[in-house]
Amino acid sequence: MRIDVVSLFPDFVRQCAAVGVVGRAQQRQLLQVEAWNPRDYTSDRHRTVDASSYGGGPGMVMMIEPLRATLTAVRNAAPEPAHVIYLSPQGPRLTQGRVEALAKMPRITLLCGRYEGVDERLLAHEVDEELSIGDYVLSGGELAAAVVIDAVGRLQEGALNDALSAEQDSFANGLLDCPHYAKPVQDALGTVPEVLLSGDHAAIARWRLKQSLGRTWLRRPDLLSRCVLDKTSRALLDEFRREHASQALSRQNEAVDD
Ligand code: 4HQ
């Protein structure tokens, strides 16, 4: 897969994409990330990319022409459709479902805004999709683009050393991840749940699914209401809820005893 990024800070984008799993995916030629600087597509002496906002007020707006010229160069750099995505809080929020769909595309282009953003006419004519990484304000689209590159890059076939690990991710099944433990078994901070040491793979899978269901119910009930649980999952979640309720009761009694 190829990802082109249009940004006033191309080195920052390249550095973000050079580390960890995504960096390795590039070395393995599973992923190609190219950064483009709109300043290189200006024609004035000052390499101007922004101008003040019509209507007045503070802040600058990224102008049409340098971005249009950059996107033309991007399109001409490879035969596949460029599928241009603008990162902004005005878009629908990025989800793992959308990440999985983007990861299957041969090519995407990420447009990063700075200042107050990009001239609306360029967005209307050159952008296929707008995406937000969350309800907060960044100083530019670069970190949002890095989020997309990371989430999409790690899903490229062969990027993860263990092919199963992508299927076990949080959200891959619509649920939060279960707790994880490493050595030592005994520590001042606590002990590892017994079932994980049992070697009983069916019991371990059951425990993990139960924890995933329980944590999703406790921490993100909004996710749970969106997925349909089969009979086994409903039974496991009921078990978790009963245990949670009786644990809450004994905590209450301890508090009274003290
Ligand atoms: N910005 N999700 C404003 C974001 C953002 C977000 C990027 C700040 C675009 C112009 N992008 N610029 N949240 O806050 O994607």
Side-chain angles (χ1 to χ4, degrees):
M1 174 178 194
R2 175 177 175 132
I3 305 181
D4 295 283
V5 187
V6 176
S7 163
L8 291 173
F9 300 95
D11 288 332
F12 177 55
V13 171
R14 285 185 201 106
Q15 283 172 25
C16 283
V19 301
V21 169
V22 169
R24 206 174 57 205
Q26 284 201 80
Q27 285 169 0
R28 291 178 180 171
Q29 301 190 354
L30 308 170
L31 180 71
Q32 180 184 3
V33 178
E34 300 292 344
W36 305 73
N37 190 345
R39 276 196 208 285
D40 296 337
Y41 297 86
T42 52
S43 39
D44 66 315
R45 202 160 57 84
H46 300 289
R47 312 221 300 157
T48 310
V49 293
D50 61 329
S52 54
S53 187
Y54 279 124
M60 305 294 275
V61 174
M62 290 179 80
M63 295 156 60
I64 294 175
E65 208 35 62
L67 291 177
R68 185 162 51 196
T70 311
L71 287 170
T72 299
V74 167
R75 285 205 177 82
N76 290 336
E80 297 87 0
H83 190 75
V84 181
I85 301 171
Y86 178 56
L87 286 316
S88 102
Q90 281 76 48
R93 272 206 302 274
L94 183 65
T95 61
Q96 189 62 19
R98 192 66 202 130
V99 166
E100 284 165 16
L102 293 176
K104 292 190 180 109
M105 294 184 169
R107 188 180 183 199
I108 60 174
T109 303
L110 303 175
L111 175 57
C112 304
R114 282 268 152 182
Y115 321 114
E116 301 310 304
V118 170
D119 188 303
E120 192 65 26
R121 293 165 294 178
L122 181 111
L123 299 181
H125 285 90
E126 303 273 1
V127 168
D128 300 303
E129 180 177 4
E130 204 161 325
L131 281 178
S132 167
I133 63 159
D135 294 340
Y136 38 78
V137 183
L138 303 170
S139 59
E142 284 76 13
L143 283 173
V147 165
V148 174
I149 294 167
D150 191 277
V152 164
R154 65 188 289 282
L155 290 185
Q156 298 306 301
E157 177 95 51
L160 297 171
N161 279 330
D162 185 347
L164 284 179
S165 63
E167 288 166 37
Q168 312 247 316
D169 283 337
S170 306
F171 305 119
N173 57 2
L175 299 173
L176 299 183
D177 205 0
C178 63
H180 297 283
Y181 300 88
K183 65 186 177 183
V185 169
Q186 312 262 12
D187 185 272
L189 299 185
T191 61
V192 175
E194 189 117 350
V195 60
L196 298 179
L197 311 171
S198 68
D200 182 342
H201 297 301
I204 292 169
R206 223 177 86 88
W207 181 87
R208 285 182 169 156
L209 178 56
K210 182 168 147 187
Q211 295 301 315
S212 282
L213 288 159
R215 289 178 136 193
T216 310
W217 171 67
L218 285 172
R219 302 181 189 192
R220 292 292 305 276
D222 58 310
L223 293 178
L224 211 50
S225 55
R226 257 181 249 166
C227 62
V228 266
L229 301 182
D230 60 14
K231 229 176 116 194
T232 320
S233 293
R234 279 200 307 266
L236 283 173
L237 180 55
D238 278 343
E239 226 176 279
F240 183 98
R241 279 180 172 139
R242 277 196 298 275
E243 286 167 17
H244 183 77
S246 72
Q247 278 160 19
L249 262 179
S250 43
R251 273 194 299 273
Q252 235 174 47
N253 289 333
E254 278 165 38
V256 170
D257 290 347
D258 285 349

